[in-house]
Amino acid sequence: PSPLENLSPEQFVEMQTALSQKDGTARTVFINCWHISEFENFAMWRVYSDVFGVSVESDYASLRSSFLDQNWNYYAEPKKGKINIGALTYYDDAQHWISKHSVFSPIMHKRNEFSYEQELRCVIWNLEGPAHVRPTIDISKLIKAIHVSPFAPVWYEGVIRDLCARYGLNTDLVVKSSLKLS
């Protein structure tokens, strides 16, 4: 369900005003992006990672339930939070226009050239202050696996396991990418 349904007319106008001001979006919106796929993607590794990259695997239900702070989690009851999750819509510049009647439209649309990303976004609206505030997350609910780059040297997986151990994460979550490079 759209969080806009729960906004009062005053809140909607306040959001529109904040977004229309110079750099308003940067001050009120934080976007966290995820790739939706059943499989690893060569293009995603090449575009968004280097030799020493990792990828965090999760699923929609885990992502949604990982937000613990009731002030932030829109999906918790009562629905008053500021985190909204949704898949992007990809469009053809020449044949599609983005509605200006919804503040989410520009944030939830991307040109067809980026459709390989199959992007899901967590959007945080924080009209009361900076968007960089951090909601509380249960990382054990969020992370299903941590994939080590297929381009990483063999020893790098051990480094990632050591980091997980240092911060109390299950080291069994770390797996080498299954992507075949040849």
Side-chain angles (χ1 to χ4, degrees), residues 119-150:
E119 191 172 333
L120 177 99
R121 287 185 174 175
C122 297
V123 179
I124 296 176
W125 298 95
N126 188 21
L127 294 173
E128 294 85 36
H132 63 269
V133 293
R134 295 178 187 211
T136 305
I137 294 174
D138 183 342
I139 202 148
S140 66
K141 286 183 179 179
L142 175 67
I143 299 176
K144 299 296 179 197
I146 300 170
H147 299 266
V148 176
S149 170

Side-chain angles (χ1 to χ4, degrees), residues 7-15:
L7 290 179
S8 70
E10 294 80 20
Q11 289 173 315
F12 185 79
V13 169
E14 183 179 2
M15 187 180 290

